Amino acid sequence: MFCLPSLLIKNTMKYIIICFLFEVVIAQQPDTAKIYPLNEVIVIRNSEHRDTTIDFYKANTSATTEEILSRSGSVQMIRRGNYGLEPSIRGFSAGQVSLTIDGMHIHGACTDKMDPITIYVEPQNLYSIDIATGTNGLVFGSSLGGAVNVQLAEPMFSETKVSAGSGYQSSAKAYNGNISVNTGTSQYALLINGVYRKSNNYNAGNGATIPFSYYEKTNLSLAGRYQLSENDELKSDMLFDDGWNIGYPALTMDVGYAKARIYSLSYNFTNNDNILSQCEVKAYRNDITHFMDDTHRPSIPMHMDMPGWSTTYGSYINTQFDFLDNHLTQLRAEFYRTFVRAEMTMYPPIGLPMFMLTLPDARRISGAIFVKDEWDISNDINASFNGRLENTNSLVTSEFGRQQLSVFGYHTENAINTLLKSGTMNLTNRFSENINAIFSVGYAERMPTINESYGFYLYNRFDGFDYVGNPELQNEQSLQSEISGRFQTEFMQIKGTCFFNRINNFIIGAKDGTLSAMTIGAHGVKLFNNLPFATMRGLEFSLILHPQDNLEIISTTKYVQGTDNDSKPLQLIPPLKNLTSVRYRFENITVQSELEYASSQNSIRTSVGEQPTASYLLAHIRASYILLIENLQISLNGGVENLFDANYRDHLDWGNIPRPGRNVYISTLLSF
Amino acid sequence: MLLQKKVFAILFFALIVFSGCKKEDNPLAPVNPTDPFAGLTKIAEGYAAGAATKVQLWSKTALFTGYNNVFIAVLDSAKGTLVTDAHIHLDPMMDMGMMKHSAPYENPTSTIAVNSLFPCQIVFLMASMGGSWTVDVEVHNHTSNLEGIATLPVTVADKTPAILKSTVAKNDSAKLFISYLRPSSLKVGINDFEIAIHKSMAMMSFPFDSTYTVVITPEMPSMGHGSPNNVNPTHTANGHYKGKVNFTMTGDWRINLDIYKNGAVVDTTMYFDVTL
Ligand SMILES: [Cu+2]
């Protein structure tokens, strides 16, 4: 919505909805793993262009959803290992960003954030990733930093298709295999996807092997659709993700076993002649199990078991109305309930095991309504308004959990009830054929996360402190504005965006020197606290050159600055980054070379021991080749990442662990 | 599975039958809620000849080194009924052959029995291994106005971890006994913490002392961390000091005690080990 003329927006929106419901066959174009149609959602809302750099990731079956995410729009990944990367949007992360799969809320079961939910969707099973910045993500949750919604692939009616592929990556000696079967009549359709991945310890630039960077996993998904009539259908999704022996080199523990079970059932109605043009009702449930493991680590002071569990169930109804001419109205109501428990049992060499609840049987119930209206005021001016009201009720349900927190003087017998009010307004103006601009303002509130409210001695390896939750935290409130302008001709496009956020009651850990650390070796204890305010501001700039049909040059630059109320830098703020790619297509072969640059980051939060990060420049080369033999399509992908084997780390990487060095990858995908 | 279910069913049935039988065998089994002896064990008994009463000493558990809550029952020798109005005075004594010593104690606070018994407290300083303990109970039966002394031999066992510590004060060389009055159960969270401080006067008299300042610092010895927001015990009455101790997790905890008097260090080496 930031870059397209108003009419186009509306049309595209409609088009997307149609896509979504009717499964237009775009997804079946060659060279992709059926993900890009709805990538337009990314394009429309958040990014300046259809990011063709991503296409390679989509085609490369070795890539994970995390790798695709790290290439897209405004997302940067916080990295604690070679797996389980946490998306951050423009410097916002964790509770400030809402992560959903098909609109379903899923709560991690790990106290150390090893399990962002994006790991549960494999690219083979990915239909699109919707990335919204700031308050544009309110449809998915009360978040102030944006939203990432991962849309699962849907089975196709009247189609039978089998594809199988495998890939290899040299840096981690990693391989993967995947198989996908779609079968469908005009009335029902079934899609089965299975993926297996195994990755060994990867090599950093200059050859050093990074211990505890291995992982292994399987992912199985089953999706079914049943057409009830011309206008409505039932749909069901089941997702089984199992990971084991997942190393986290930047943390003190690894994952022994992690399991996700995600189920949903939905009813979809669509009729473009109706006032109610679309309606989706969904019920879902998911269970996450997470067992950390320190038994492979040398010289640990004490063995610990740290299991965690989360269960979320909920439902939502999402509707689209055509009440008035030139208006498109979306109404969404949702309810969900989350329960989280995480335990820690420590086994001293002498004496009894020690037990505590790190996430003390917390349950949170949320009910929300969301309204959005898009209004074409004139041919050149489009306005959109949205608002979200969410009521959440959080409670520590176990006596044990309450007693623990009472030690800190917190009374948690009563539930915390809070009403979150958020809204945003966007105005798009087309000044001429070539120039348009978007202005947007928004306000959003977010509740503290369960970790922030009730966490009990959560060790944070980033600053080496034990964190204790604070049930008395205030909600974070963000006022934000964004201006974006675009100039476009047939052969080029330039876009610039500038954004500003002021976050009141910014939640951050504050050291309490009177408390003694629980974790052996920790520097002390921090309590979650509200800072009076913090600000985030930044620029994004992109240039797309399209001098001829088969040549495309894309350059994106992003920069964020985050400071607290004392003008001190916030932690984990990415430095200036630029990604420039040149893509050339010759018949069935496409070649792309990329230069990835990150400046050094010296705006660091010294009070938490954050380290400056040196700049880096990386070169990547990728190629893909597609062969069609009658009905059989063979897609070959390969490339070299970090061509010059640079030894580098990104500023958002924890623990000074260098990233993979030169990585040669190859993958094949056969489909018929 | 089926077998397991069957076994369970049989066990369950047996349990019902068994508990049923037990009831028949012992018609007194459903405990009278006002039964003064409910939950108590008789430790010793003897005659206070002059008072024409039988004197019994009851306790919830066997006696141990440290602070014991005991109950004195006074029975009219003739009628066999419980005397509920009497003046009771204790005098515990340890006979080690070469020497004798007494122990700190707290007489019943009232001459009127509580639920027919006289609650009182004795701090046994050592186990019976090193000698033999007796508790002299001096009874003045207010109903009959007769007086007499019963000598009750008792057995005291050591307790681990120790809940009684002694020290020679650094400031004035006073010999102190610090008893930890364990709450019935410790839990993760906030717990009552109570100690009693008695001073030894030539080992024959142990008056309480209310003039100390006590600082408690819980820690987990295996990890080296403590817990926040503990409340240091302060004197309430009779040498008892009450405060709050907090535990953040289960396991073995050590409650360190630093004792001061008028700003001078008395002892900083003492601790009580507890488990939860
Ligand atoms: Cu974990």
Side-chain angles (χ1 to χ4, degrees):
Chain A
M1 116 189 10
F2 286 108
C3 47
L4 295 176
S6 51
L7 259 176
L8 239 177
I9 291 176
K10 190 174 171 181
N11 287 342
T12 322
M13 280 298 293
K14 279 189 175 158
Y15 169 74
I16 286 159
I17 294 156
I18 295 162
C19 270
F20 180 64
L21 291 155
F22 279 51
E23 283 293 335
V24 173
V25 201
I26 301 172
Q28 290 308 298
Q29 284 193 359
D31 142 276
T32 78
K34 53 177 81 157
I35 28 173
Y36 60 67
L38 267 196
N39 262 340
E40 264 87 7
V41 171
I42 299 179
V43 172
I44 289 160
R45 302 203 174 185
N46 318 285
S47 176
E48 48 283 90
H49 58 272
R50 234 193 88 212
D51 196 341
T52 47
T53 54
I54 293 176
D55 288 349
F56 270 93
Y57 282 85
K58 290 183 292 195
N60 166 18
T61 64
S62 299
T64 59
T65 301
E66 300 174 331
E67 281 167 311
I68 297 172
L69 257 176
S70 67
R71 292 278 153 176
S72 57
S74 316
V75 173
Q76 309 219 36
M77 305 302 276
I78 297 172
R79 186 181 168 103
R80 302 176 179 89
N82 207 16
Y83 183 79
L85 279 64
E86 181 193 349
S88 92
I89 301 176
R90 289 180 176 171
F92 290 101
S93 61
Q96 297 163 326
V97 173
S98 110
L99 301 183
T100 47
I101 295 177
D102 270 350
M104 298 184 280
H105 294 269
I106 301 173
H107 199 285
C110 176
T111 48
D112 296 347
K113 300 189 191 126
M114 289 171 171
D115 58 351
I117 65 171
T118 38
I119 57 177
Y120 302 133
V121 182
E122 284 291 331
Q124 282 71 24
N125 193 31
L126 184 64
Y127 192 55
S128 72
I129 306 175
D130 311 352
I131 299 159
T133 54
T135 45
N136 291 308
L138 288 175
V139 61
F140 298 115
S142 290
S143 62
L144 44 85
V148 175
N149 181 46
V150 181
Q151 207 85 43
L152 298 173
E154 290 192 330
M156 313 282 180
F157 288 116
S158 310
E159 186 176 307
T160 299
K161 185 176 174 181
V162 177
S163 62
S166 74
Y168 179 78
Q169 300 199 45
S170 69
S171 164
K173 295 173 284 302
Y175 54 92
N176 72 84
N178 62 80
I179 186 155
S180 170
V181 179
N182 185 94
T183 168
T185 67
S186 59
Q187 195 163 38
Y188 79 87
L190 187 69
L191 174 65
I192 303 173
N193 262 301
V195 177
Y196 168 76
R197 290 180 184 276
K198 179 170 169 63
S199 176
N200 294 297
N201 288 333
Y202 69 79
N203 291 329
N206 300 331
T209 301
I210 304 301
F212 307 107
S213 61
Y214 46 74
Y215 67 87
E216 194 165 359
K217 74 170 287 187
T218 59
N219 182 283
L220 176 70
S221 69
L222 302 169
R225 292 168 75 192
Y226 181 78
Q227 191 142 42
L228 297 167
S229 76
E230 195 187 333
N231 295 112
D232 56 358
E233 66 169 58
L234 287 174
K235 190 183 155 211
S236 167
D237 277 291
M238 282 185 271
L239 219 155
F240 310 86
D241 189 273
D242 294 88
W244 59 96
N245 288 335
I246 305 170
Y248 287 82
L251 302 178
T252 52
M253 294 185 94
D254 307 306
V255 165
Y257 176 54
K259 177 172 104 169
R261 300 287 179 264
I262 298 165
Y263 311 102
S264 75
L265 182 67
S266 53
Y267 166 82
N268 289 335
F269 166 86
T270 183
N271 185 345
N272 287 323
D273 302 330
N274 253 10
I275 287 179
L276 173 66
S277 53
Q278 194 222 323
C279 175
E280 182 193 9
V281 184
K282 175 177 276 187
Y284 61 91
R285 177 191 169 111
N286 51 71
D287 299 274
I288 314 291
T289 310
H290 185 85
F291 289 100
M292 284 193 251
D293 178 21
D294 61 4
T295 56
H296 301 292
R297 297 296 179 116
S299 64
I300 45 161
M302 191 183 296
H303 166 61
M304 300 179 196
D305 280 335
M306 291 183 71
W309 300 268
S310 89
T311 295
T312 304
Y313 57 82
S315 62
Y316 67 78
I317 173 164
N318 193 32
T319 55
Q320 196 101 47
F321 292 92
D322 284 315
F323 281 129
L324 300 162
D325 281 352
N326 302 324
H327 280 265
L328 190 64
T329 309
Q330 184 185 1
L331 266 174
R332 185 183 171 104
E334 69 173 322
F335 161 87
Y336 60 98
R337 181 191 190 278
T338 291
F339 178 87
V340 196
R341 175 188 174 96
E343 299 175 354
M344 177 186 255
T345 309
M346 288 159 284
Y347 300 91
I350 311 161
L352 287 178
M354 295 168 276
F355 174 87
M356 57 198 256
L357 287 178
T358 43
L359 292 177
D361 295 317
R363 75 113 180 83
R364 177 167 276 175
I365 299 173
S366 278
I369 47 169
F370 170 84
V371 187
K372 179 176 183 176
D373 186 63
E374 299 218 6
W375 177 23
D376 293 333
I377 298 170
S378 73
N379 268 350
D380 294 325
I381 302 174
N382 166 277
S384 89
F385 311 89
N386 72 50
R388 183 183 177 98
L389 267 183
E390 177 159 359
N391 192 76
T392 71
N393 184 286
S394 314
L395 181 69
V396 176
T397 60
S398 76
E399 185 59 24
F400 192 93
R402 285 180 214 151
Q403 294 288 352
Q404 276 188 170
L405 287 161
S406 73
V407 166
F408 287 89
Y410 297 134
H411 301 284
T412 50
E413 296 77 19
N414 297 323
I416 305 172
N417 210 71
T418 179
L419 182 69
L420 304 161
K421 306 164 286 290
S422 309
T424 186
M425 190 193 89
N426 296 310
L427 205 63
T428 309
N429 192 1
R430 188 169 62 165
F431 295 101
S432 74
E433 274 302 306
N434 307 108
I435 300 171
N436 58 51
I438 298 173
F439 175 72
S440 96
V441 286
Y443 172 80
E445 298 180 336
R446 71 116 175 160
M447 67 204 131
T449 61
I450 286 173
N451 291 30
E452 288 162 346
S453 290
Y454 301 125
F456 202 66
Y457 289 102
L458 306 177
Y459 179 61
N460 182 334
R461 184 71 192 275
F462 179 73
D463 59 6
F465 276 80
D466 283 332
Y467 276 69
V468 174
N470 177 356
E472 292 161 9
L473 282 177
Q474 302 293 308
N475 294 328
E476 267 185 9
Q477 303 157 327
S478 162
L479 249 171
Q480 40 193 274
S481 63
E482 178 166 333
I483 297 174
S484 175
R486 194 177 75 148
F487 174 77
Q488 189 177 24
T489 69
E490 201 182 334
F491 303 110
M492 70 173 297
Q493 178 191 302
I494 301 172
K495 193 193 161 200
T497 301
C498 141
F499 59 89
F500 177 84
N501 289 279
R502 182 190 158 108
I503 308 106
N504 288 339
N505 298 328
F506 190 80
I507 296 173
I508 197 166
K511 185 181 167 183
D512 185 334
T514 66
L515 302 175
S516 64
M518 188 277 299
T519 305
I520 294 170
H523 303 318
V525 176
K526 286 187 179 178
L527 300 175
F528 284 107
N529 218 325
N530 291 110
L531 280 188
F533 68 90
T535 56
M536 297 269 203
R537 53 199 166 271
L539 299 165
E540 286 165 2
F541 182 79
S542 75
L543 172 71
I544 302 174
L545 296 174
H546 215 305
Q548 56 191 80
D549 244 8
N550 54 357
L551 179 65
E552 192 172 39
I553 299 162
I554 302 171
S555 177
T556 60
T557 306
K558 41 194 173 188
Y559 178 66
V560 193
Q561 223 180 33
T563 51
D564 67 10
N565 55 317
D566 280 333
S567 304
K568 299 242 169 58
L570 295 173
Q571 66 216 46
L572 289 170
I573 299 296
L576 176 81
K577 286 201 174 169
N578 174 275
L579 181 67
T580 301
S581 62
V582 179
R583 186 180 219 214
Y584 184 76
R585 198 182 69 241
F586 179 73
E587 292 180 356
N588 283 345
I589 299 174
T590 313
V591 180
Q592 176 166 308
S593 63
E594 298 166 19
L595 274 182
E596 189 180 347
Y597 169 77
S599 77
S600 60
Q601 180 58 292
N602 296 308
S603 290
I604 48 169
R605 195 160 181 85
T606 46
S607 60
V608 301
E610 191 174 27
Q611 299 293 312
T613 306
S615 66
Y616 61 82
L617 178 64
L618 309 172
H620 316 296
I621 291 181
R622 309 172 195 284
S624 76
Y625 175 69
I626 290 162
L627 188 65
L628 271 168
I629 308 169
E630 290 183 3
N631 278 336
L632 178 69
Q633 178 191 312
I634 302 169
S635 150
L636 281 172
N637 272 274
V640 186
E641 291 168 326
N642 193 358
L643 188 62
F644 299 110
D645 203 26
N647 186 294
Y648 75 105
R649 66 175 278 259
D650 188 82
H651 188 65
L652 300 193
D653 298 351
W654 283 28
N656 260 321
I657 311 281
R659 287 210 174 187
R662 185 183 300 121
N663 179 36
V664 181
Y665 70 89
I666 182 148
S667 77
T668 58
L669 188 68
L670 277 73
S671 29
F672 54 87
Chain B
M1 274 309 284
L2 200 65
L3 186 72
Q4 267 185 0
K5 272 186 186 165
K6 273 187 184 166
V7 170
F8 268 119
I10 291 164
L11 280 178
F12 187 65
F13 184 68
L15 198 72
I16 290 169
V17 171
F18 184 69
S19 50
C21 288
K22 216 174 154 189
K23 264 179 196 163
E24 264 174 48
D25 286 351
N26 185 357
L28 290 179
V31 178
N32 180 350
T34 60
D35 177 3
F37 300 109
L40 300 179
T41 308
K42 187 162 73 180
I43 305 293
E45 70 180 357
Y47 282 93
T53 54
K54 190 157 84 172
V55 177
Q56 297 175 335
L57 190 139
W58 294 71
S59 172
K60 277 186 184 148
T61 61
L63 302 179
F64 49 82
T65 314
Y67 190 94
N68 287 259
N69 281 301
V70 295
F71 300 87
I72 301 293
V74 180
L75 293 112
D76 187 300
S77 301
K79 292 183 257 177
T81 53
L82 282 163
V83 175
T84 56
D85 185 0
H87 192 202
I88 309 282
H89 182 88
L90 302 175
D91 191 9
M93 191 62 68
M94 166 40 93
D95 186 347
M96 301 170 74
M98 304 289 286
M99 63 163 289
K100 283 185 174 186
H101 65 79
S102 179
Y105 58 83
E106 293 167 20
N107 286 320
T109 49
S110 164
T111 58
I112 305 299
V114 178
N115 192 18
S116 307
L117 301 178
F118 296 92
C120 45
Q121 291 79 27
I122 305 171
V123 182
F124 292 107
L125 300 183
M126 57 187 284
S128 294
M129 295 286 283
S132 48
W133 279 104
T134 53
V135 178
D136 282 1
V137 183
E138 196 182 321
V139 177
H140 177 197
N141 184 341
H142 288 178
T143 323
S144 61
N145 205 21
L146 296 172
E147 283 183 64
I149 297 177
T151 299
L152 311 179
V154 295
T155 306
V156 175
D158 258 333
K159 183 120 195 151
T160 40
I163 55 166
L164 173 72
K165 296 286 166 90
S166 66
T167 185
V168 176
K170 280 197 176 130
N171 60 334
D172 58 5
S173 300
K175 183 147 171 80
L176 301 178
F177 286 92
I178 290 95
S179 321
Y180 169 47
L181 282 61
R182 299 174 314 145
S184 53
S185 69
L186 291 170
K187 60 181 197 297
V188 170
I190 303 173
N191 294 269
D192 290 328
F193 179 78
E194 186 174 359
I195 55 169
I197 303 181
H198 294 94
K199 221 173 205 169
S200 163
M201 309 296 260
M203 290 306 279
M204 289 314 268
S205 158
F206 294 86
F208 67 77
D209 197 313
S210 62
T211 59
Y212 291 99
T213 306
V214 183
V215 174
I216 54 168
T217 319
E219 68 161 311
M220 294 201 96
S222 59
M223 302 188 76
H225 68 75
S227 69
N229 299 324
N230 297 282
V231 180
N232 288 323
T234 53
H235 187 258
T236 51
N238 303 327
H240 286 231
Y241 293 71
K242 285 186 187 173
K244 299 277 184 198
V245 63
N246 296 335
F247 301 117
T248 52
M249 62 181 85
T250 70
D252 296 323
W253 284 83
R254 174 164 292 178
I255 307 167
N256 293 296
L257 268 69
D258 295 338
I259 304 178
Y260 305 91
K261 183 167 188 167
N262 301 326
V265 172
V266 173
D267 188 290
T268 54
T269 62
M270 210 173 286
Y271 59 83
F272 292 110
D273 283 336
V274 297
T275 290
L276 66 157

